[in-house]
């Protein structure tokens, strides 16, 4: 496993890959991860991801174009594929996401799959909110989710 750090406005993000990007972790929250002793540090393996993350945090990139190696169930992968279709700077509810994958009664399952997304920001799970507009669980913490959503709304016109 390879890893590298990315200094973002949210703190130091940790990225992992074998050959393709597999995960992005926040410095705080329930998805926080520390590199294992047998992992190899390599910025070179992550150049495309780092370049695109930099452009995203400058407000210049609205959609990532990276090859990913996401591990999950077929249902989770279906949810994650739909997440990348949510436009930059916009939000939808878990119920709406469930409808979009053709399973309108699965909002709880969609929420669970959303929470298991291993590549936050790049697969924008932060764009999914509660039906009443409330911010709900996020692996990097609700403050990070709030900051990402506010950042995208501020930069939406600049990025278009």
């Amino acid at each position: 496993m390879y890893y590298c750090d990315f200094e973002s406005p949210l703190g130091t993000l940790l990225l992992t890959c074998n050959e393709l990007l597999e995960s992005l972790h926040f410095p705080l929250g329930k998805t926080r991860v520390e590199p294992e002793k047998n992992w190899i540090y390599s910025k070179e393996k992550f150049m495309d991801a780092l370049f695109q993350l930099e452009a995203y945090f400058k407000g210049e990139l609205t959609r990532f174009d990276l090859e990913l190696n996401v591990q999950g169930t077929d249902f989770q992968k279906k949810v994650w594929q739909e997440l990348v279709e949510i436009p930059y700077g916009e939000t939808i509810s878990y119920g709406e996401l469930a409808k979009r994958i053709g399973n309108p009664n699965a909002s709880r399952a969609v929420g669970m799959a959303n929470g298991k997304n291993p590549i936050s920001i790049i697969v924008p799970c932060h764009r999914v909110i509660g039906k009443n507009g409330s911010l709900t669980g996020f692996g990097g913490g609700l403050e990070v989710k709030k900051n990402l959503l506010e950042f995208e709304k501020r930069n939406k016109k600049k990025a278009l």
Side-chain angles (χ1 to χ4, degrees):
M1 179 72 70
Y2 295 93
Y3 76 99
C4 79
D5 300 321
F6 176 79
E7 294 301 327
S8 82
L10 306 170
T12 304
L13 305 177
L14 176 74
L15 290 81
T16 69
C17 79
N18 275 307
E19 291 306 315
L20 300 175
L21 186 63
E22 292 186 11
S23 68
L24 182 151
H25 301 277
F26 294 99
L28 301 173
K30 62 184 176 186
T31 64
R32 184 178 187 280
V33 168
E34 289 289 328
E36 295 182 19
K37 290 183 184 204
N38 62 335
W39 291 6
I40 301 164
Y41 188 86
S42 171
K43 286 253 187 212
E44 292 76 32
K45 293 271 187 188
F46 298 91
M47 293 311 288
D48 286 344
L50 296 173
F51 176 78
Q52 289 185 41
L53 281 166
E54 188 172 314
Y56 172 83
F57 283 111
K58 286 181 179 177
E60 299 168 352
L61 181 78
T62 61
R63 187 179 178 114
F64 291 87
D65 183 19
L66 296 166
E67 288 189 68
L68 307 174
N69 182 25
V70 292
Q71 302 297 312
T73 67
D74 289 342
F75 180 80
Q76 289 170 332
K77 289 178 182 179
K78 189 173 188 178
V79 170
W80 301 335
Q81 287 169 351
E82 193 59 41
L83 290 174
V84 298
E85 300 305 322
I86 302 170
Y88 180 89
E90 296 183 22
T91 59
I92 65 170
S93 69
Y94 293 96
E96 176 61 27
L97 185 54
K99 287 179 195 169
R100 290 184 183 189
I101 65 163
N103 201 341
N105 296 321
S107 58
R108 280 189 186 267
V110 161
M112 296 296 287
N114 200 51
K116 297 281 188 187
N117 171 20
I119 310 178
S120 294
I121 301 174
I122 294 167
V123 177
C125 55
H126 60 279
R127 296 179 188 157
V128 184
I129 60 174
K131 183 167 75 170
N132 63 359
S134 64
L135 298 186
T136 56
F138 186 68
L142 290 181
E143 190 64 26
V144 169
K145 183 172 186 167
K146 177 183 171 195
N147 289 338
L148 283 168
L149 292 173
E150 288 174 354
F151 168 79
E152 287 186 2
K153 284 182 182 175
R154 278 194 316 271
N155 288 288
K156 188 173 180 179
K157 288 182 182 177
K158 176 182 173 183
L160 298 177

